[in-house]
Coordinates of all heavy atoms in Angstrom, one line a residue:
C97 N 198.0 211.0 -98.3 CA 197.9 212.4 -97.9 C 198.8 212.7 -96.7 O 198.4 212.4 -95.6 CB 196.4 212.8 -97.7 SG 196.2 214.6 -97.4
E98 N 199.9 213.4 -97.0 CA 200.7 213.9 -95.9 C 201.3 212.9 -95.0 O 201.5 213.2 -93.8 CB 200.1 215.1 -95.2 CG 199.8 216.2 -96.3 CD 199.1 217.4 -95.7 OE1 198.0 217.3 -95.0 OE2 199.7 218.6 -95.8
H99 N 201.5 211.6 -95.4 CA 202.2 210.6 -94.6 C 202.9 209.7 -95.4 O 202.3 209.3 -96.5 CB 201.4 210.1 -93.5 CG 200.2 209.3 -94.0 ND1 200.3 207.8 -94.1 CD2 199.0 209.5 -94.5 CE1 199.2 207.4 -94.6 NE2 198.4 208.3 -94.8
G100 N 204.0 209.2 -95.0 CA 204.7 208.1 -95.9 C 205.2 208.7 -97.2 O 204.9 210.0 -97.5
F101 N 205.7 208.0 -98.1 CA 206.1 208.2 -99.5 C 207.2 209.3 -99.6 O 208.2 209.2 -100.2 CB 204.9 208.5 -100.3 CG 205.0 208.2 -101.7 CD1 204.6 207.0 -102.2 CD2 205.6 209.1 -102.6 CE1 204.7 206.7 -103.6 CE2 205.7 208.8 -104.0 CZ 205.3 207.6 -104.4
F102 N 206.7 210.6 -99.2 CA 207.6 211.8 -99.4 C 208.2 212.3 -98.0 O 207.7 211.8 -97.0 CB 206.8 213.0 -100.0 CG 206.5 212.9 -101.4 CD1 205.3 213.3 -101.8 CD2 207.4 212.3 -102.3 CE1 204.9 213.3 -103.2 CE2 207.0 212.4 -103.7 CZ 205.8 212.8 -104.1
W103 N 209.0 213.3 -98.1 CA 209.3 214.1 -96.9 C 208.2 215.2 -96.9 O 208.2 216.0 -97.8 CB 210.7 214.6 -97.0 CG 211.0 215.6 -95.9 CD1 210.9 215.5 -94.5 CD2 211.4 217.0 -96.1 NE1 211.3 216.6 -93.9 CE2 211.5 217.6 -94.8 CE3 211.6 217.9 -97.2 CZ2 211.8 219.0 -94.6 CZ3 211.9 219.2 -97.0 CH2 212.0 219.7 -95.6
W104 N 207.5 215.2 -95.9 CA 206.3 216.2 -95.7 C 206.8 217.4 -94.9 O 206.4 217.5 -93.7 CB 205.1 215.5 -95.2 CG 204.6 214.4 -96.1 CD1 204.9 213.0 -95.9 CD2 203.9 214.5 -97.2 NE1 204.3 212.3 -96.8 CE2 203.7 213.1 -97.8 CE3 203.2 215.5 -97.9 CZ2 202.9 212.9 -98.8 CZ3 202.5 215.2 -99.1 CH2 202.4 213.9 -99.6
G105 N 207.7 218.2 -95.4 CA 208.3 219.3 -94.7 C 207.5 220.6 -94.6 O 208.0 221.5 -94.0
G106 N 206.4 220.6 -95.3 CA 205.5 221.8 -95.3 C 205.5 222.5 -96.6 O 206.4 222.5 -97.5
Y107 N 204.4 223.3 -96.8 CA 204.3 224.1 -98.1 C 205.4 225.2 -98.1 O 205.6 225.8 -97.1 CB 202.9 224.7 -98.1 CG 202.6 225.2 -99.4 CD1 202.0 224.4 -100.4 CD2 202.8 226.6 -99.8 CE1 201.6 224.9 -101.7 CE2 202.5 227.1 -101.1 CZ 201.9 226.3 -101.9 OH 201.5 226.7 -103.2
G108 N 206.0 225.3 -99.2 CA 207.2 226.3 -99.3 C 208.4 225.8 -98.8 O 209.5 226.5 -98.9
R109 N 208.5 224.6 -98.1 CA 209.8 224.1 -97.7 C 210.1 222.8 -98.3 O 211.2 222.6 -98.9 CB 209.8 223.8 -96.2 CG 210.9 223.5 -95.5 CD 210.9 223.7 -94.0 NE 212.1 223.3 -93.4 CZ 212.3 222.3 -92.6 NH1 211.3 221.6 -92.2 NH2 213.4 221.9 -92.0
S110 N 209.2 221.9 -98.4 CA 209.4 220.7 -99.1 C 208.8 220.8 -100.5 O 207.6 221.1 -100.6 CB 208.7 219.5 -98.4 OG 208.4 218.3 -99.3
T111 N 209.6 220.5 -101.6 CA 209.0 220.7 -102.9 C 208.0 219.8 -103.2 O 207.0 220.2 -103.8 CB 210.3 220.5 -103.9 OG1 211.4 221.4 -103.4 CG2 209.9 220.9 -105.3
E112 N 208.1 218.6 -102.8 CA 207.1 217.6 -103.1 C 205.7 217.9 -102.4 O 204.6 217.8 -102.9 CB 207.6 216.2 -102.8 CG 208.6 215.6 -103.7 CD 210.0 216.3 -103.4 OE1 210.3 216.7 -102.2 OE2 210.9 216.4 -104.3
H113 N 205.9 218.3 -101.1 CA 204.7 218.7 -100.3 C 204.0 219.9 -100.9 O 202.7 219.9 -101.0 CB 205.1 218.9 -98.8 CG 204.0 219.0 -97.9 ND1 204.2 219.1 -96.6 CD2 202.7 219.0 -98.2 CE1 203.1 219.1 -95.9 NE2 202.0 218.9 -96.9
T114 N 204.8 220.8 -101.4 CA 204.2 222.0 -102.0 C 203.5 221.6 -103.3 O 202.3 222.0 -103.5 CB 205.4 223.0 -102.4 OG1 206.0 223.4 -101.2 CG2 204.8 224.2 -103.0
A115 N 204.1 220.8 -104.1 CA 203.5 220.5 -105.4 C 202.2 219.6 -105.1 O 201.2 219.7 -105.8 CB 204.5 219.7 -106.3
Y116 N 202.3 218.6 -104.0 CA 201.2 217.8 -103.8 C 200.0 218.7 -103.4 O 198.8 218.5 -103.8 CB 201.5 216.9 -102.6 CG 200.4 216.0 -102.2 CD1 200.3 214.8 -102.8 CD2 199.6 216.3 -101.1 CE1 199.2 214.0 -102.4 CE2 198.6 215.6 -100.6 CZ 198.4 214.3 -101.3 OH 197.4 213.5 -100.8
L117 N 200.2 219.6 -102.5 CA 199.1 220.4 -102.2 C 198.5 221.3 -103.3 O 197.3 221.6 -103.4 CB 199.5 221.5 -101.0 CG 199.8 220.7 -99.6 CD1 200.3 221.6 -98.6 CD2 198.4 220.0 -99.1
N118 N 199.4 221.8 -104.1 CA 198.9 222.4 -105.4 C 198.1 221.5 -106.2 O 196.9 221.9 -106.6 CB 200.1 222.9 -106.2 CG 200.9 224.0 -105.7 OD1 200.4 224.7 -104.8 ND2 202.1 224.2 -106.1
L119 N 198.4 220.3 -106.4 CA 197.6 219.3 -107.1 C 196.3 219.1 -106.4 O 195.3 219.0 -107.1 CB 198.4 218.0 -107.2 CG 199.6 218.1 -108.2 CD1 200.5 216.8 -107.9 CD2 199.2 218.1 -109.6
M120 N 196.4 218.9 -105.0 CA 195.1 218.6 -104.4 C 194.1 219.7 -104.5 O 192.9 219.6 -104.4 CB 195.5 218.5 -102.8 CG 196.1 217.2 -102.6 SD 194.8 215.8 -102.6 CE 193.9 216.2 -101.0
H121 N 194.5 220.9 -104.7 CA 193.7 222.2 -104.8 C 193.5 222.5 -106.3 O 193.0 223.7 -106.5 CB 194.3 223.3 -103.9 CG 194.2 223.0 -102.5 ND1 195.1 222.4 -101.9 CD2 193.2 223.4 -101.6 CE1 194.8 222.4 -100.5 NE2 193.6 222.9 -100.4
G122 N 193.7 221.6 -107.1 CA 193.3 221.8 -108.5 C 194.3 222.5 -109.4 O 194.0 222.8 -110.6
V123 N 195.5 222.7 -108.9 CA 196.5 223.3 -109.8 C 197.2 222.1 -110.5 O 197.9 221.3 -110.0 CB 197.6 224.1 -109.0 CG1 198.6 224.6 -109.9 CG2 196.9 225.2 -108.3
E124 N 196.9 222.0 -111.8 CA 197.5 220.9 -112.6 C 198.9 221.0 -112.9 O 199.4 222.2 -113.0 CB 196.6 220.6 -113.8 CG 195.2 220.1 -113.6 CD 194.6 219.3 -114.7 OE1 194.7 219.9 -115.8 OE2 194.0 218.4 -114.5
A125 N 199.6 219.9 -113.3 CA 200.9 220.0 -113.8 C 200.8 220.4 -115.2 O 199.9 220.1 -115.9 CB 201.6 218.5 -113.6
P126 N 201.9 221.2 -115.6 CA 203.1 221.5 -115.0 C 203.2 222.7 -114.0 O 204.2 223.0 -113.5 CB 204.0 221.7 -116.2 CG 203.2 222.3 -117.3 CD 201.8 221.6 -117.1
L127 N 202.1 223.4 -113.9 CA 202.0 224.6 -113.2 C 202.3 224.2 -111.7 O 202.9 225.0 -110.9 CB 200.7 225.4 -113.3 CG 200.7 226.7 -112.5 CD1 201.8 227.7 -112.8 CD2 199.3 227.2 -112.6
S128 N 201.9 223.0 -111.3 CA 202.0 222.5 -109.9 C 203.4 222.6 -109.4 O 203.7 222.9 -108.2 CB 201.4 221.2 -109.8 OG 202.2 220.3 -110.7
G129 N 204.4 222.4 -110.2 CA 205.8 222.3 -109.7 C 206.7 223.4 -110.2 O 207.9 223.5 -110.1
S130 N 206.0 224.4 -110.9 CA 206.8 225.4 -111.6 C 207.4 226.4 -110.8 O 207.1 226.8 -109.7 CB 205.9 226.1 -112.6 OG 204.8 226.8 -112.0
V131 N 208.6 227.1 -111.4 CA 209.1 228.2 -110.8 C 208.2 229.4 -110.8 O 208.1 230.2 -109.8 CB 210.4 228.6 -111.6 CG1 211.0 230.0 -111.1 CG2 211.5 227.6 -111.5
A132 N 207.3 229.5 -111.8 CA 206.3 230.6 -111.9 C 205.5 230.7 -110.7 O 205.1 231.8 -110.2 CB 205.6 230.5 -113.2
L133 N 205.0 229.5 -110.2 CA 204.1 229.4 -109.1 C 204.9 229.4 -107.7 O 204.5 230.1 -106.8 CB 203.2 228.2 -109.2 CG 202.1 228.0 -108.0 CD1 201.2 229.3 -108.0 CD2 201.3 226.8 -108.3
N134 N 205.8 228.5 -107.7 CA 206.5 228.2 -106.3 C 207.7 229.0 -106.0 O 208.3 229.0 -104.9 CB 206.7 226.7 -106.4 CG 205.5 225.8 -106.5 OD1 204.4 226.3 -106.1 ND2 205.6 224.7 -107.1
G135 N 208.3 229.6 -107.1 CA 209.5 230.3 -106.9 C 210.8 229.3 -107.1 O 210.7 228.1 -106.9
A136 N 211.9 229.8 -107.5 CA 213.0 229.0 -107.8 C 213.6 228.3 -106.6 O 214.0 227.1 -106.7 CB 214.2 229.9 -108.4
A137 N 213.6 228.9 -105.4 CA 214.1 228.1 -104.2 C 213.4 226.8 -104.0 O 214.1 225.9 -103.6 CB 214.1 229.1 -103.0
V138 N 212.1 226.8 -104.2 CA 211.3 225.6 -103.9 C 211.4 224.7 -105.1 O 211.7 223.5 -105.0 CB 209.8 226.0 -103.6 CG1 209.0 224.7 -103.5 CG2 209.7 226.7 -102.2
A139 N 211.3 225.2 -106.4 CA 211.1 224.4 -107.5 C 212.5 223.6 -107.8 O 212.4 222.7 -108.6 CB 210.7 225.2 -108.7
E140 N 213.6 224.2 -107.4 CA 214.9 223.7 -107.9 C 215.6 222.8 -106.9 O 216.8 222.7 -106.9 CB 215.7 224.8 -108.4 CG 215.2 225.5 -109.6 CD 216.2 226.5 -110.2 OE1 217.1 227.0 -109.5 OE2 216.1 226.7 -111.6

Side-chain angles (χ1 to χ4, degrees):
C97 186
E98 298 182 303
H99 65 97
F101 205 97
F102 286 142
W103 172 58
W104 301 97
Y107 194 88
R109 187 164 178 243
S110 162
T111 305
E112 292 76 27
H113 196 172
T114 301
Y116 179 88
L117 291 174
N118 289 339
L119 292 166
M120 282 284 289
H121 289 85
V123 179
E124 288 201 323
L127 184 59
S128 55
S130 66
V131 171
L133 180 62
N134 302 328
V138 172
E140 295 190 332

